[in-house]
Amino acid sequence: MPLPAEFHDIAKRVNNWGRWGAADEIGTLNLITDEIVRVAAGTVRSGRRIPLALPLRQDGVQTGMIPGRVNPLRTMVALNLEMFGPGTVATNDDIVTMGLQAATHWDGLAHVSHSGRIYNGRPAGTVTAHAGAAFSGIATMTTLTSRGVLLDVARARDLDRLPGGHAVTPGDLDAAEELARTTVRAGDIVLIRTGQMQVYLAGDPQGYAFPSPGLSLRTPEWFHARDVAAVANDTLTFEIFPPEVEDLWLPVHALDLVEMGMPQGQNWNLEALSQACAEAGRYEFLLDATPEPFVGAAGSPVAPVAVL
Amino acid sequence: MPLPAEFHDIAKRVNNWGRWGAADEIGTLNLITDEIVRVAAGTVRSGRRIPLALPLRQDGVQTGMIPGRVNPLRTMVALNLEMFGPGTVATNDDIVTMGLQAATHWDGLAHVSHSGRIYNGRPAGTVTAHAGAAFSGIATMTTLTSRGVLLDVARARDLDRLPGGHAVTPGDLDAAEELARTTVRAGDIVLIRTGQMQVYLAGDPQGYAFPSPGLSLRTPEWFHARDVAAVANDTLTFEIFPPEVEDLWLPVHALDLVEMGMPQGQNWNLEALSQACAEAGRYEFLLDATPEPFVGAAGSPVAPVAVL
Amino acid sequence: MPLPAEFHDIAKRVNNWGRWGAADEIGTLNLITDEIVRVAAGTVRSGRRIPLALPLRQDGVQTGMIPGRVNPLRTMVALNLEMFGPGTVATNDDIVTMGLQAATHWDGLAHVSHSGRIYNGRPAGTVTAHAGAAFSGIATMTTLTSRGVLLDVARARDLDRLPGGHAVTPGDLDAAEELARTTVRAGDIVLIRTGQMQVYLAGDPQGYAFPSPGLSLRTPEWFHARDVAAVANDTLTFEIFPPEVEDLWLPVHALDLVEMGMPQGQNWNLEALSQACAEAGRYEFLLDATPEPFVGAAGSPVAPVAVL
Amino acid sequence: MPLPAEFHDIAKRVNNWGRWGAADEIGTLNLITDEIVRVAAGTVRSGRRIPLALPLRQDGVQTGMIPGRVNPLRTMVALNLEMFGPGTVATNDDIVTMGLQAATHWDGLAHVSHSGRIYNGRPAGTVTAHAGAAFSGIATMTTLTSRGVLLDVARARDLDRLPGGHAVTPGDLDAAEELARTTVRAGDIVLIRTGQMQVYLAGDPQGYAFPSPGLSLRTPEWFHARDVAAVANDTLTFEIFPPEVEDLWLPVHALDLVEMGMPQGQNWNLEALSQACAEAGRYEFLLDATPEPFVGAAGSPVAPVAVL
């Protein structure tokens, strides 16, 4: 079934193909300039650091709903191993098997395609089994550091968390921006808090996954108008799930990743950050959220740190 | 064979057990205070960002020399998969199997034990096959952001790279500190460049691995005297390998990790940073190098970013 | 909590330590002689082959109840890859990550220990993280071919399947032996059908896992008296689970594997075999069920084939 | 570059598409009838069993020459774990990551395609990243048991092993058949010994891999004329490598797997079997070599057992 006209209309309005040249692979990350990062460093007031990643463990957020996206399974290849003989220094060493998008992660621009295309109009077939993404693999995003702004939608709406059926609208983003007392601007990394992470933290991964609040189909234009560099939130699916429009699956993914070339973050734990921002009365900070440089990957785990 | 008296003498001088309480798991990371991070953010001048991680790929730095520490093998679990029917948005999704210390990484404090103990005097047996490190697992290091200082030993010694047999001494560190025109101080993350990474980058992983320049047995006291928070370099083995003292294997690991409780970084690519610092005439920067929070892990890949 | 006297009494009666020498690693597999296999080949009547393994797939029998024992996740490392240029022969190639005991498998003799010992009195500590089982690893069982006998307990009791709380007793085995019209003898591989596999095949892995019918604490003596070489059944836990005696967990594992040195098979699909044997009016056959020779492994997947 | 006319001529002569119906997925395995297996069981004389699989370990035959085909890496997820409390029965449990064709294995019929087709004319695109082979996956070969015949080419040619550049010809097969004093017939599993495995067993995996003796382009017609069910040998590449005809890569794979629908086995250790057959003066036996039923897989490890 072809994507509806409604989708294609928005797609045209937010499309960034060619904006940074035909060879570009990193989309909106081009918007993060040295000057923007210099200013971002200046937002640091106290030096307080808030980590935003979930612990990586086998009882992570994946429930089997997304086939193959397995929670991290870490095992030891050496355990108090006296490699050089009895009484010598002993080593512990481990390996892991995990879905790159299983935990707190970035979707890279090659994570989805629609109508046979990935970002910048490249054929979907440039992603292959043996090499992954020939273009826009996550390792092309060599750094992801900029000003971060928390749009605490749940707090702005005076809720602990948005209910499962809630599509975060441009109006919600406006309200949260007002609460944040800063204006979202070019090159920002915007973090959107729904509070949904509380469901997982309370021990209910199924309820966390589905049904989930998340971004509305109407938000990509909001991000595009402000030239945001990247957006992350505290849900498994990023966008509202099940979707707002029947049979229109993952439209926000397609608009953000394919049309705009803007990376999306999921499963970020924004609870402590929400508390810290509320206490400080400030919702901007320096954010480092550089993905692990897996060559050809569709996504990557990330251990983001906000410095307030 | 018991560790020699020479080792135990140094061990006594650099020991930090109990310094931050009997319950402490993160050692010298306690030295990174909010105030230190606030000042570190102030070192940013241009906003230029330099990534320090090697790409994660199957032809990485591991050669089989360290059993089980396998290079990343990333495969697709979904490839242009139209999960919701023909013509819908298609997804790419990947998983990875890798040694947590295979690429650019941190050694956590539980990576080695000696004389039956890990950091803070805990029994080596608190690391188990099913749960990993019950104490001082890498996930306890929730953030690792501070001032970074590049000690460019190769440049200070006017060499492209130190030769394989070169043990980096306190004298070398002093020379590099002088070149850096800053004083290493409490809470710093010190990056030590030998230039050895050039061997790997030139396509010779065997030559990169061994023989390798690296830190001398005499350096832990230098770090301890300055209360450094963490140290990383551009070699596979961190310390000189084969070792300076016959049959004394991994003494620097044992002193740094077990005695001081100071994390070590390996396989960091410091080539571009060296160039950037030389150009800027400044060797200090804001460094974010937070590990991925693998619960119970002995180490973790990291994607460090220096902001100059 | 120490194991009860009841357990130790049985342990003494079934113990085989030293029976095949202090160096022995394969226990009751010593009972399979060339002559026994020659006779076993003579049981073949029709040449009909019945496979007994479950398909290996991500929606396998594991539910997360046993930590780390993950269902097989198979991914492609090459997909229609024209490695030698366009138009050349293309290849597909895959890798897997899986628990060795996740699907249809054998428990090797090193799978459990009790009171600090594995089979033949070796210390439990001879199993290590880096090398696995130094003794009695699954690869020491280089072949596992003999006469197979199906003891179809469910059919003998005129049930589709035994209920969850049913402990298979010596009396049940006698009844099934009578139905089989053959006498279980030295070197046989005995397959015990409870019918529990039907629960999994009907799409309920949780119900399959627990509660489960399975072998009673009183069966090891029955096997020992007949000098059976190996026993497999169609359940996840092999023995009744939860256990018959409160707080006495896995006693059958300990008696079979540690005391007798007899391998156990689990998750075997005996449904088609049950039908075939009933049709043929014969419950003996040639069985090949050789494990994959994973060096040092506690267990192995197996693809058993009965030839009737 | 298109495949040459020479290849297409042979392809026409050995093609089995449609022979067992348009729905067939298992090709020449259709040739193994109950009657053939009944007779095969009758070849057992002594009951002696010879295992033909290499041990599964990290220092296996893979050298990195074939990207992604990684040697088995087995790790413990439980190590003397007293899951139910101190003093209870303790368990050892392991997982593995490995290439399905890394060790002693079968190539399934979906392992290669040419000219856009796999066996029985199905599109190469029926193999996908998320599901593997929709047709002719290895799990469709539910049993692989038949008469085995060892064609000991090295012994027939009075050599310890064939040299690296030796293409095994129909003439070589005739000579080995004569040595074997049996006639290869429909439904047989033919094992071809070159002796190349000795190179690996002597500790030289590089020399084992390349250059390798192996089957000539002219052998598929020999197998086809006799209606052989499957062929395996003791090399990494199965066919001579590098190939006989310049730029004609993997022609034997394409003829055997795609055109005939005949599975191929590689890395089989035939050394002990060669000795046993020579001693017995008989080269036929009952062979069970059933693959592990990985759903959708291009291949599978196998632990074959010959019963003499």
Side-chain angles (χ1 to χ4, degrees):
Chain A
M1 159 172 335
L3 296 164
E6 179 184 5
F7 173 85
H8 286 292
D9 288 349
I10 305 175
K12 256 174 231 142
R13 291 196 291 272
V14 303
N15 184 280
N16 280 328
W17 297 4
R19 180 172 171 186
W20 297 285
D24 180 57
E25 302 189 47
I26 61 169
T28 53
L29 293 201
N30 287 289
L31 295 162
I32 306 177
T33 61
D34 285 1
E35 174 60 13
I36 282 174
V37 176
R38 193 188 61 75
V39 171
T43 65
V44 172
R45 289 287 177 282
S46 66
R48 182 174 177 192
R49 293 132 286 149
I50 311 282
L52 309 179
L54 292 172
L56 294 162
R57 51 198 304 167
Q58 221 203 332
D59 55 352
V61 295
Q62 299 302 319
T63 59
M65 186 177 89
I66 306 173
R69 196 176 278 193
V70 290
N71 283 317
L73 178 55
R74 190 196 52 74
T75 55
M76 308 300 300
V77 290
L79 184 64
N80 288 316
L81 177 63
E82 296 178 337
M83 209 184 316
F84 302 103
T88 60
V89 173
T91 60
N92 297 303
D93 223 40
D94 27 28
I95 61 165
V96 76
T97 297
M98 68 179 291
L100 289 179
Q101 292 151 298
T104 304
H105 72 272
W106 284 116
D107 285 347
L109 302 190
H111 172 47
V112 306
S113 61
H114 81 81
S115 314
R117 300 285 154 177
I118 61 166
Y119 168 68
N120 225 3
R122 293 194 175 90
T126 55
V127 185
T128 60
H130 65 286
F135 300 96
S136 292
I138 202 78
T140 60
M141 298 186 163
T142 53
T143 67
L144 222 171
T145 298
S146 191
R147 184 175 81 136
V149 175
L150 175 66
L151 295 186
D152 194 338
V153 175
R155 189 179 297 269
R157 292 309 193 194
D158 218 17
L159 293 166
D160 273 350
R161 59 180 180 87
L162 305 181
H166 187 109
V168 173
T169 62
D172 288 330
L173 299 179
D174 289 339
E177 194 183 25
E178 191 172 345
L179 171 71
R181 285 186 297 178
T182 184
T183 305
V184 171
R185 58 188 187 230
D188 279 349
I189 305 169
V190 174
L191 311 184
I192 295 167
R193 178 170 169 271
T194 68
Q196 178 73 358
M197 185 56 71
Q198 295 164 25
V199 181
Y200 170 70
L201 296 174
D204 181 7
Q206 305 279 353
Y208 168 67
F210 175 89
S212 179
L215 296 183
S216 162
L217 181 56
R218 290 168 288 154
T219 57
E221 287 178 271
W222 197 95
F223 301 132
H224 188 254
R226 284 152 186 80
D227 263 346
V228 161
V231 177
N233 75 9
D234 54 357
T235 70
L236 187 80
T237 50
F238 191 71
E239 53 191 284
I240 181 172
F241 200 82
E244 298 160 277
V245 179
E246 205 184 332
D247 283 332
L248 180 52
W249 301 93
L250 301 181
V252 178
H253 278 68
L255 293 167
D256 287 355
L257 299 170
V258 180
E259 299 292 332
M260 295 178 60
M262 184 184 77
Q264 296 180 165
Q266 280 123 291
N267 300 318
W268 292 38
N269 184 353
L270 304 175
E271 295 305 298
L273 182 64
S274 169
Q275 200 59 39
C277 287
E279 284 164 20
R282 298 178 66 247
Y283 287 79
E284 63 168 357
F285 37 84
L286 177 66
L287 179 67
D288 183 88
T290 296
E292 299 292 329
F294 287 101
V295 175
S300 169
V302 64
V305 175
V307 187
L308 274 67
Chain B
M1 159 173 334
L3 295 165
E6 179 184 5
F7 172 87
H8 286 292
D9 287 349
I10 305 175
K12 257 175 232 143
R13 290 197 290 272
V14 302
N15 185 278
N16 280 327
W17 296 4
R19 179 171 171 188
W20 297 285
D24 180 56
E25 303 189 45
I26 62 169
T28 53
L29 294 200
N30 286 290
L31 295 162
I32 306 177
T33 62
D34 285 0
E35 174 60 14
I36 281 174
V37 176
R38 193 189 61 75
V39 171
T43 66
V44 172
R45 289 289 178 277
S46 67
R48 183 174 176 191
R49 292 131 287 149
I50 310 282
L52 308 180
L54 291 172
L56 293 163
R57 49 197 307 166
Q58 221 203 331
D59 54 352
V61 296
Q62 298 303 319
T63 60
M65 187 176 87
I66 306 173
R69 198 178 275 193
V70 290
N71 283 318
L73 178 54
R74 189 195 54 73
T75 55
M76 308 299 302
V77 290
L79 183 65
N80 288 315
L81 177 63
E82 295 178 335
M83 208 186 314
F84 301 103
T88 59
V89 173
T91 59
N92 297 302
D93 223 38
D94 27 29
I95 60 165
V96 76
T97 297
M98 67 180 291
L100 290 179
Q101 291 150 300
T104 304
H105 73 271
W106 284 115
D107 285 347
L109 302 189
H111 172 46
V112 306
S113 62
H114 82 82
S115 314
R117 299 286 155 177
I118 61 165
Y119 168 68
N120 226 1
R122 294 193 174 91
T126 55
V127 186
T128 59
H130 66 285
F135 301 97
S136 292
I138 203 76
T140 59
M141 298 186 164
T142 54
T143 67
L144 220 172
T145 299
S146 192
R147 186 176 79 135
V149 175
L150 176 66
L151 296 186
D152 194 339
V153 175
R155 188 178 297 271
R157 292 310 191 192
D158 216 19
L159 293 166
D160 273 352
R161 60 182 180 87
L162 305 180
H166 187 108
V168 173
T169 62
D172 288 330
L173 299 180
D174 290 339
E177 194 183 27
E178 190 173 345
L179 171 72
R181 287 187 295 179
T182 184
T183 304
V184 170
R185 58 188 187 232
D188 279 348
I189 305 168
V190 175
L191 311 184
I192 295 168
R193 179 171 168 268
T194 68
Q196 177 73 358
M197 185 54 71
Q198 296 164 24
V199 181
Y200 170 70
L201 296 174
D204 180 9
Q206 304 280 353
Y208 169 67
F210 177 87
S212 179
L215 297 183
S216 162
L217 181 55
R218 289 168 289 152
T219 57
E221 287 178 271
W222 196 95
F223 302 131
H224 189 253
R226 283 151 187 81
D227 262 347
V228 160
V231 177
N233 74 10
D234 54 356
T235 71
L236 187 80
T237 50
F238 191 72
E239 53 191 284
I240 182 171
F241 200 81
E244 299 160 279
V245 180
E246 205 184 332
D247 283 332
L248 180 52
W249 301 93
L250 302 180
V252 179
H253 278 67
L255 293 167
D256 286 356
L257 299 170
V258 180
E259 299 293 333
M260 295 177 61
M262 183 185 76
Q264 296 179 164
Q266 281 123 292
N267 301 316
W268 293 39
N269 183 354
L270 304 176
E271 295 303 299
L273 182 64
S274 168
Q275 199 58 40
C277 287
E279 284 165 18
R282 299 177 67 246
Y283 287 79
E284 65 167 355
F285 36 83
L286 177 66
L287 180 66
D288 184 87
T290 296
E292 299 291 331
F294 288 100
V295 174
S300 168
V302 65
V305 176
V307 186
L308 275 66
Chain C
M1 157 173 337
L3 296 165
E6 178 185 7
F7 171 86
H8 286 291
D9 288 348
I10 305 176
K12 257 175 232 146
R13 290 196 291 272
V14 302
N15 184 278
N16 281 327
W17 296 3
R19 179 172 172 188
W20 298 284
D24 180 58
E25 303 189 47
I26 62 169
T28 52
L29 294 201
N30 286 290
L31 295 162
I32 306 177
T33 62
D34 285 0
E35 175 59 14
I36 281 174
V37 176
R38 193 188 62 74
V39 170
T43 65
V44 173
R45 289 286 178 280
S46 66
R48 183 175 177 190
R49 292 132 288 151
I50 311 282
L52 308 180
L54 292 172
L56 294 163
R57 52 197 303 166
Q58 221 202 330
D59 54 352
V61 295
Q62 299 302 319
T63 60
M65 186 176 89
I66 307 172
R69 196 177 278 193
V70 290
N71 283 317
L73 179 54
R74 190 197 52 75
T75 55
M76 308 299 302
V77 290
L79 183 65
N80 289 315
L81 177 63
E82 296 177 336
M83 209 185 313
F84 301 104
T88 59
V89 173
T91 59
N92 297 303
D93 223 38
D94 27 28
I95 61 165
V96 76
T97 296
M98 67 179 291
L100 289 179
Q101 291 150 300
T104 304
H105 73 272
W106 284 116
D107 285 348
L109 302 189
H111 171 48
V112 308
S113 63
H114 80 81
S115 314
R117 299 286 156 178
I118 61 166
Y119 168 67
N120 225 3
R122 295 194 174 91
T126 56
V127 186
T128 59
H130 65 285
F135 300 97
S136 293
I138 203 76
T140 60
M141 298 185 164
T142 54
T143 67
L144 221 172
T145 300
S146 191
R147 186 175 79 137
V149 175
L150 175 66
L151 295 185
D152 194 339
V153 175
R155 190 178 296 270
R157 292 308 192 193
D158 217 19
L159 293 166
D160 273 349
R161 59 180 180 87
L162 305 181
H166 187 109
V168 173
T169 61
D172 288 330
L173 299 180
D174 290 338
E177 194 183 26
E178 190 173 347
L179 171 72
R181 287 186 298 177
T182 184
T183 305
V184 171
R185 58 186 187 233
D188 279 347
I189 305 169
V190 175
L191 311 184
I192 295 167
R193 179 171 169 269
T194 68
Q196 177 74 358
M197 185 55 70
Q198 295 165 24
V199 182
Y200 170 70
L201 296 174
D204 180 9
Q206 305 279 354
Y208 169 67
F210 176 88
S212 179
L215 296 184
S216 162
L217 180 56
R218 289 167 289 153
T219 57
E221 287 178 272
W222 197 94
F223 302 131
H224 189 255
R226 284 150 187 82
D227 263 346
V228 161
V231 178
N233 75 9
D234 54 356
T235 70
L236 187 81
T237 51
F238 191 72
E239 54 191 283
I240 182 171
F241 200 82
E244 299 159 279
V245 179
E246 204 183 333
D247 283 332
L248 179 53
W249 301 92
L250 302 180
V252 179
H253 278 67
L255 293 167
D256 287 355
L257 299 169
V258 179
E259 298 293 333
M260 296 177 61
M262 184 184 76
Q264 296 179 165
Q266 281 124 292
N267 301 317
W268 293 40
N269 184 352
L270 303 176
E271 295 304 298
L273 182 64
S274 168
Q275 200 60 38
C277 287
E279 283 164 19
R282 298 177 67 248
Y283 287 80
E284 64 169 355
F285 37 82
L286 178 66
L287 180 66
D288 184 88
T290 296
E292 300 291 330
F294 288 99
V295 174
S300 168
V302 64
V305 176
V307 187
L308 275 66
Chain D
M1 157 171 335
L3 296 165
E6 180 184 5
F7 172 85
H8 286 293
D9 288 348
I10 305 175
K12 258 174 228 141
R13 290 196 291 272
V14 303
N15 184 279
N16 280 328
W17 296 4
R19 180 173 171 186
W20 297 285
D24 180 56
E25 303 189 45
I26 62 169
T28 52
L29 293 201
N30 287 290
L31 296 163
I32 306 177
T33 62
D34 285 1
E35 174 60 13
I36 281 174
V37 176
R38 193 189 62 76
V39 171
T43 64
V44 172
R45 290 287 178 279
S46 67
R48 183 175 177 192
R49 292 132 287 149
I50 311 282
L52 308 180
L54 292 171
L56 294 162
R57 51 199 303 168
Q58 221 202 330
D59 55 352
V61 296
Q62 300 302 319
T63 59
M65 186 176 89
I66 306 173
R69 198 178 275 193
V70 290
N71 283 318
L73 178 54
R74 190 196 53 72
T75 55
M76 308 300 300
V77 291
L79 183 65
N80 288 316
L81 177 63
E82 296 177 336
M83 207 184 316
F84 302 104
T88 60
V89 173
T91 59
N92 297 302
D93 223 39
D94 26 29
I95 60 164
V96 75
T97 297
M98 67 179 292
L100 289 180
Q101 292 151 298
T104 304
H105 72 272
W106 284 115
D107 285 348
L109 302 189
H111 172 47
V112 306
S113 61
H114 81 82
S115 314
R117 300 284 154 177
I118 61 166
Y119 168 68
N120 225 1
R122 293 194 175 89
T126 55
V127 186
T128 60
H130 65 285
F135 301 97
S136 292
I138 202 77
T140 61
M141 297 185 164
T142 53
T143 68
L144 221 171
T145 299
S146 191
R147 186 176 80 135
V149 175
L150 175 65
L151 296 185
D152 194 338
V153 176
R155 189 178 296 271
R157 293 309 193 192
D158 217 18
L159 293 166
D160 272 352
R161 59 180 180 89
L162 305 180
H166 187 108
V168 172
T169 63
D172 288 330
L173 299 180
D174 290 338
E177 194 183 26
E178 192 172 344
L179 171 72
R181 285 186 297 178
T182 184
T183 304
V184 171
R185 57 186 190 234
D188 278 349
I189 306 169
V190 175
L191 311 185
I192 295 167
R193 178 171 168 269
T194 68
Q196 177 72 0
M197 185 55 71
Q198 295 165 23
V199 182
Y200 170 70
L201 296 174
D204 181 9
Q206 305 279 353
Y208 168 67
F210 176 89
S212 178
L215 297 183
S216 162
L217 181 56
R218 289 168 289 152
T219 57
E221 287 179 271
W222 197 94
F223 302 131
H224 189 254
R226 282 151 188 80
D227 263 348
V228 160
V231 178
N233 74 10
D234 54 355
T235 70
L236 187 81
T237 51
F238 191 72
E239 55 190 282
I240 181 169
F241 200 81
E244 299 160 276
V245 180
E246 205 184 331
D247 283 334
L248 180 51
W249 300 91
L250 302 180
V252 179
H253 277 67
L255 293 167
D256 286 356
L257 299 170
V258 180
E259 299 292 332
M260 294 176 61
M262 184 184 78
Q264 296 180 165
Q266 280 124 293
N267 300 318
W268 292 39
N269 184 354
L270 304 176
E271 295 304 298
L273 182 63
S274 168
Q275 200 59 39
C277 287
E279 284 165 18
R282 298 177 68 247
Y283 287 79
E284 65 168 355
F285 36 83
L286 178 65
L287 180 67
D288 184 87
T290 295
E292 298 292 329
F294 288 101
V295 174
S300 168
V302 64
V305 175
V307 186
L308 275 67

